[in-house]
Amino acid sequence: NKLSSRDKRIICMRFGIGSGDFTGKEKTQKEVADILGISQSYISRLEKRIISKLKKDICFLKQTFHRCM
């Protein structure tokens, strides 16, 4: 499963990942919300959902890797 471009942008800004307008500096939820024009509480909910999705994907890859060995 892949993240949407918005989800990627949120994670990149929050954790200082990537390049372009993601300068490597972590941004607060409020800063990300202001950039995207949405509320901080919505960023919080999105972030939790995105991280949960990433965890599931990592677990799936981990299980797949162990089956191959």
Side-chain angles (χ1 to χ4, degrees):
N1 297 333
K2 293 187 176 185
L3 296 178
S4 71
S5 59
R6 181 185 68 175
D7 290 353
K8 288 178 192 175
R9 189 169 186 211
I10 289 169
I11 292 299
C12 288
M13 285 191 284
R14 280 287 290 135
F15 297 101
I17 302 167
S19 59
D21 63 342
F22 317 126
T23 60
K25 181 180 179 292
E26 296 176 4
K27 294 187 180 350
T28 64
Q29 289 180 346
K30 176 73 171 124
E31 290 170 325
V32 173
D34 289 345
I35 291 167
L36 297 179
I38 56 181
S39 71
Q40 179 274 325
S41 60
Y42 189 50
I43 288 292
S44 180
R45 289 191 300 273
L46 288 172
E47 187 178 307
K48 286 178 185 177
R49 181 184 54 79
I50 295 165
I51 290 172
S52 175
K53 182 175 176 19
L54 290 171
K55 284 181 181 180
K56 287 178 187 176
D57 288 347
I58 289 168
C59 287
F60 175 77
L61 291 172
K62 187 176 177 182
Q63 290 171 354
T64 301
F65 175 75
H66 284 293
R67 277 188 247 139
C68 294
M69 295 184 76

